[in-house]
Amino acid sequence: MKYLDEFADPVLAGRLIEQIKARATRQWTLMEVCGGQTHSIIRNGIDILLRGAVEFIHGPGCPVCVTPLEMIDRSLEIAARPEVIFCSFGDMLRVPGSGRDLFQVKAAGGDVRVVYSPLDAVRIAAENPGREVVFFGVGFETTAPANAMAVVAARQRGLRNFSMLVSHVRVPPAITAVMESPRCRVEGFLAAGHVCTVMGTDEYGPLVERFGVPIVVTGFEPLDLLEGVRQTVELLEAGTPALRNAYPRAVSAAGNPAAQHVLADVFEVCDRKWRGIGDIPASGWRLADAWADLDASRRFAVDDLVVEESPDCRAGDVLQGHLKPSQCPAFGTLCTPRTPLGATMVSSEGACAAYYAFRRLEVPASA
Ligand code: SF4
């Protein structure tokens, strides 16, 4: 197959669904780690088509959703300063902090700009030497290399007015945290294909061994997802947990060495708090000491903020697969994309946003 729509071919999809249902002797519980996969599953009704064979529970793989509240509040404080041009990808702007979001800071006069690449922020810094330009660097292994490159580019250009507020997170420690939870129901993982294009698949073998669950690296189109599910169910039925790559057109075992090299140069692994989940050891990246002068959290004194999460938001349970979004009492009532209580309702990869966009008229499904 060469074209994207071929990966949504309904005839081929129907065949894969039949194969999965024929092979499954019971309903298996799979977690798709990535919020992009969650949206594809819900948008295409894959969870409905596979009911009885597979229950999908949605994982913590939405970078906007897991950016800690402290970091959101820090971004709001920095963005409100008159000397700052604050640059961010668009889906961070509606993420609620303790009392407001970046849109509200912008409405109140803050110079908040949406960019489509971190290099746009570097360019803005070059064009505005009298202002401080801060880029909000969030995301998993997928976006981290481009953000690392922006840091390198800013230094190469000698820009002293560019810095980055870094809140990067890593997938393997998140899988570990999910599996170590006493409430964990996950029997197999669909791993995020785009993360593996960067990091390869080698990090996942030890997780399969340690937890005895199959992990299948999976893409994002309907046939990609169904093939990933087919292989996972096959492994579960055979009782042979293993690591498989169902996305070979994009993913190799070694990943992208050039991207890994820049990550290792610019970032160092750190413990990171995940919004709604808590601290996960070694789950984040921060700028390494050699790049500390470009670290916005050091340049701006914004560490002693008091943060306050909405008591009505159950996003932590949603992100760990303990709760379907439509089972949250605030879903669609107190919490909508216009009045979000949690980031999962506004992120383009958020599970609550997926259910709101495609399922809000349904009677809540049982977990
Ligand atoms: S529906 Fe809203 S309040 Fe409920 S978990 Fe999702 S984001 Fe939080």
Side-chain angles (χ1 to χ4, degrees):
M1 289 186 282
K2 286 191 296 186
Y3 302 107
L4 206 52
D5 56 357
E6 293 175 314
F7 288 93
D9 184 308
V11 176
L12 294 177
R15 271 187 221 145
L16 278 166
I17 287 163
E18 279 168 26
Q19 285 172 22
I20 294 165
K21 286 189 155 176
R23 190 71 177 93
T25 54
R26 69 172 178 85
Q27 179 163 279
W28 296 99
T29 305
L30 309 187
M31 175 176 274
E32 81 282 357
V33 175
C34 169
Q37 292 173 333
T38 303
H39 273 251
S40 189
I41 287 167
I42 303 299
R43 183 173 61 243
N44 292 293
I46 290 173
D47 57 328
I48 294 172
L49 292 165
L50 286 177
R51 264 181 198 157
V54 171
E55 181 196 354
F56 291 96
I57 53 180
H58 316 308
C62 162
V64 172
C65 305
V66 300
T67 299
L69 186 56
E70 290 85 343
M71 198 61 82
I72 301 294
D73 283 355
R74 246 174 245 173
S75 76
L76 298 167
E77 283 293 314
I78 295 171
R81 297 191 179 197
E83 75 274 23
V84 168
I85 300 173
F86 193 86
C87 299
S88 170
F89 295 137
D91 52 2
M92 294 305 294
L93 268 62
R94 291 300 309 275
V95 175
S98 292
R100 53 188 175 159
D101 59 31
L102 282 168
F103 261 131
Q104 288 167 313
V105 171
K106 186 175 173 63
D111 194 345
V112 178
R113 302 187 190 182
V114 172
V115 294
Y116 298 96
S117 157
L119 289 174
D120 289 343
V122 175
R123 176 183 48 76
I124 291 169
E127 292 168 354
N128 294 273
R131 309 276 305 278
E132 283 286 337
V133 176
V134 180
F135 177 73
F136 202 177
V138 303
F140 282 92
E141 293 92 328
T142 329
T143 50
N147 292 350
M149 284 301 300
V151 171
V152 173
R155 178 168 289 174
Q156 283 173 344
R157 296 177 69 166
L159 298 175
R160 296 188 170 277
N161 63 330
F162 176 87
S163 60
M164 191 173 287
L165 186 62
V166 177
S167 188
H168 279 299
V169 278
R170 304 171 57 235
V171 167
I175 290 180
T176 300
V178 167
M179 289 308 297
E180 285 179 342
S181 166
R183 297 164 70 192
C184 176
R185 297 193 296 125
V186 178
E187 295 172 297
F189 283 97
L190 305 178
H194 51 10
V195 166
C196 296
T197 61
V198 174
M199 303 307 290
T201 59
D202 291 346
E203 293 181 308
Y204 294 90
L207 295 173
V208 172
E209 225 163 88
R210 179 173 169 198
F211 296 112
V213 291
I215 298 180
V216 177
V217 178
T218 308
F220 301 85
E221 298 305 318
L223 294 191
D224 290 324
L225 284 158
L226 288 168
E227 176 58 18
V229 172
R230 191 193 67 75
Q231 293 195 28
T232 313
V233 168
E234 187 72 45
L235 291 167
L236 286 165
E237 290 288 345
T240 53
L243 172 65
R244 291 266 177 86
N245 179 7
Y247 197 35
R249 72 179 188 280
V251 171
S252 65
N256 182 334
Q260 292 166 22
H261 182 76
V262 73
L263 287 174
D265 181 27
V266 171
F267 295 130
E268 63 187 20
V269 171
C270 62
D271 298 343
R272 176 75 72 201
K273 187 172 185 178
W274 293 48
R275 188 170 190 173
I277 298 176
D279 295 317
I280 303 180
S283 67
W285 271 311
R286 66 179 169 220
L287 286 168
D289 285 346
W291 303 88
D293 57 316
L294 291 150
D295 188 341
S297 62
R298 298 192 198 203
R299 191 173 294 191
F300 300 89
V302 283
D303 276 340
D304 52 354
L305 302 174
V306 178
V307 302
E308 195 179 349
E309 195 71 83
S310 164
D312 296 315
C313 182
R314 305 278 306 275
D317 285 334
V318 169
L319 288 163
Q320 295 171 88
H322 302 323
L323 189 81
K324 296 280 195 299
S326 50
Q327 294 169 323
C328 169
F331 176 83
T333 54
L334 281 178
C335 182
T336 70
R338 282 181 179 274
T339 58
L341 298 182
T344 46
M345 183 53 93
V346 284
S347 168
S348 60
E349 295 188 21
C352 301
Y355 275 69
Y356 192 87
F358 306 115
R359 295 286 165 78
R360 69 179 181 274
L361 298 180
E362 275 186 14
V363 175
S366 61

